[in-house]
Amino acid sequence: MPGLRTIAVTVAVNGGARMEDESRSGWSHLLEHLVFKGAGDMGARDIVERVEAEGGSINAATGYERTSFDVRALKGSLPLAMQVLSDLVFRPTLAPDEIEREKDVVAQEIAEAFDTPDDHVFEMAQTQAFAGHGLGRPILGSIASLAPADRAAVSDWRARLYSPDRMVVAVSGAVEEGELLALAESWFGQAAATPSAGSSPAAFAGGEARLARKIEQANLVFQLPSLGARDPRLPVLRLFTEILGGGMASRLFQSAREDRGLAYAIDAYHETYDDLGVLGVYAGAAAERSRELADLCAAEILDLAEKGPTDQELARAKAVLNAGLWMADESPASRSGRLAGQTLVFGAPVSSEDSAARIDAQTAADLREVGRDLAASGRSATAVLGPRAAGGAGRAFRERMAGR
């Protein structure tokens, strides 16, 4: 990216919590923590001090299908960034005492997530959507599932998860291609592939979860089965989601908040996995009006699916999505992360121009077709966390979607 004085480096692994069986639930996230406790010739403090000494920052994240490590730094820091990230994924120390200590840290993270209603309600919905599958278990795991993790077991899991044939290195910003390729060969090119952790096909199960807690607001999540990451109709789903609940001009924001005062926060979202996905709605509402809000959410989905968007709605959604593409192009971190993810999914990067063209090509008829598929599945996953008076919101949503 000409004119920049910084770089963004992403090492992304095609692996995460989805690959775990129940006995290893949370191990991918635990491993991501542990590699920062020591790698190569570096201790935990050395890792961050070396990066920050050159004005950089380092972070990582574990998802269901991807684990990523990121460095942001000044121009000229690429050799250091590549060395540090290579050591993290291939040469972590995994000291036994650090493993036990980090289990306690993750236990606090699990407790924090439970104590945060608008986090925990998503875990509840995910469990209902994909019951019995890796996608249906919390990324953090549980205290019980983390307990057996020792150095030998975690080292074996690292080798299976962080195999180089499942890995992409992406760099954006003030970088020269020749230097990058030489460093990639030096730090990543010698690693041998290992038998990799696999994952079984997922299916959307659906169901209803309720948890009564003495808090002021009901937290609601409603999910429908949707498209996977490779589905060519994904741009249509993105437009559908934006029109439904993507911003202040969206249908849900206008009808639920502006017209009826049912919610302060409400939005629609979609999550895509390798073979399927979900369309979801999250809202926070007064308990006594939660069923009314659930009914309204279902009604808006059904109306958009049946009638399609107006010309104005479709034009707005296309403008918002395209603006997001171009804005992300101006951020080195967004570019490196996006290109790594695209290469893992599609085998090669996808240009923003191609993505924008696909968005612009979609019609109202395309949205109706995808919307009717969403509405016709007959399955949903709902989660309600809050006062007991909100307990019927999930059923209200499911019944309205089923036409009852």
Side-chain angles (χ1 to χ4, degrees):
M1 300 172 67
L4 294 194
R5 298 183 179 181
T6 63
I7 60 170
V9 185
T10 297
V11 174
V13 180
N14 186 22
R18 174 175 181 162
M19 287 68 181
E20 301 162 350
D21 56 28
E22 192 168 0
S23 67
R24 295 187 181 92
S25 179
W27 285 28
S28 302
H29 173 260
L30 176 65
L31 174 62
E32 175 232 303
H33 277 226
L34 288 171
V35 301
F36 284 91
K37 297 303 178 181
D41 65 349
M42 303 175 293
R45 185 165 183 168
D46 295 326
I47 294 170
V48 293
E49 282 190 342
R50 288 188 190 182
V51 174
E52 292 181 6
E54 297 200 15
S57 61
I58 187 168
N59 206 348
T62 302
Y64 280 106
E65 295 183 330
R66 186 179 310 157
T67 306
S68 61
F69 298 86
D70 302 282
V71 169
R72 287 284 278 122
L74 295 174
K75 180 179 180 179
S77 299
L78 186 59
L80 173 69
M82 296 288 276
Q83 173 256 307
V84 170
L85 293 175
S86 174
D87 281 346
L88 290 183
V89 296
F90 294 136
R91 291 171 287 278
T93 306
L94 302 178
D97 57 336
E98 293 288 4
I99 293 175
E100 295 308 312
R101 188 158 38 241
E102 206 59 26
K103 288 179 188 178
D104 292 335
V105 173
V106 175
Q108 295 305 309
E109 194 175 356
I110 292 170
E112 181 183 14
F114 182 82
D115 287 342
T116 309
D118 55 353
D119 281 350
H120 188 58
V121 72
F122 281 97
E123 287 189 3
M124 294 167 57
Q126 190 80 6
T127 299
Q128 292 301 313
F130 303 108
H133 191 272
L135 289 176
R137 290 187 283 270
I139 291 173
L140 300 180
S142 66
I143 294 173
S145 66
L146 295 177
D150 58 19
R151 189 180 192 283
V154 172
S155 181
D156 175 71
W157 187 247
R158 185 214 62 79
R160 296 174 62 191
L161 197 65
Y162 295 173
S163 183
D165 56 318
R166 303 170 66 93
M167 194 174 294
V168 170
V169 179
V171 184
S172 186
V175 58
E176 295 294 333
E177 182 179 3
E179 180 189 24
L180 168 61
L181 294 177
L183 289 167
E185 180 65 30
S186 174
W187 287 107
F188 292 85
Q190 309 307 316
T194 54
S196 297
S199 175
S200 61
F204 187 98
E208 183 179 345
R210 291 180 286 177
L211 179 60
R213 292 174 66 178
K214 292 183 179 179
I215 55 179
E216 294 298 319
Q217 189 180 54
N219 293 265
L220 315 171
V221 172
F222 311 122
Q223 293 185 337
L224 300 173
S226 187
L227 310 179
R230 292 181 174 85
D231 195 303
R233 299 172 296 167
L234 194 56
V236 185
L237 177 64
R238 295 180 63 200
L239 290 165
F240 189 98
T241 306
E242 176 62 34
I243 293 167
L244 179 65
M248 294 175 66
S250 68
R251 291 192 178 194
L252 286 175
F253 191 95
Q254 289 297 314
S255 61
R257 175 170 165 166
E258 300 296 274
D259 295 345
R260 300 198 198 183
L262 290 172
Y264 172 71
I266 184 165
D267 60 82
Y269 62 93
H270 64 268
E271 296 282 355
T272 57
Y273 307 108
D274 185 63
D275 46 357
L276 79 176
V278 297
L279 170 74
V281 174
Y282 165 78
E288 62 273 12
R289 302 193 71 185
S290 294
R291 275 179 274 191
E292 180 184 355
L293 178 59
D295 185 79
L296 175 64
C297 290
E300 290 289 4
I301 293 171
L302 291 169
D303 184 74
L304 181 56
E306 182 61 29
K307 299 177 183 176
T310 66
D311 291 343
Q312 182 179 4
E313 286 178 322
L314 186 56
R316 179 192 70 82
K318 289 179 177 180
V320 169
L321 294 186
N322 285 335
L325 281 173
W326 308 130
M327 290 177 187
D329 269 355
E330 297 174 1
S331 163
S334 294
R335 277 200 182 193
S336 64
R338 185 178 68 198
L339 297 178
Q342 290 172 339
T343 304
L344 288 176
V345 173
F346 302 115
V350 179
S351 72
S352 294
E353 289 77 10
D354 285 348
S355 295
R358 292 174 189 175
I359 289 168
D360 288 336
Q362 308 309 318
T363 67
D366 296 325
L367 268 72
R368 285 195 299 272
E369 180 181 347
V370 166
R372 288 169 181 167
D373 287 347
L374 292 170
S377 72
R379 291 168 291 157
S380 62
T382 64
V384 179
L385 190 162
R388 291 188 182 277
R395 178 173 295 180
F397 179 84
R398 291 162 65 85
E399 289 181 348
R400 182 61 178 266
M401 289 299 303
R404 298 198 300 270

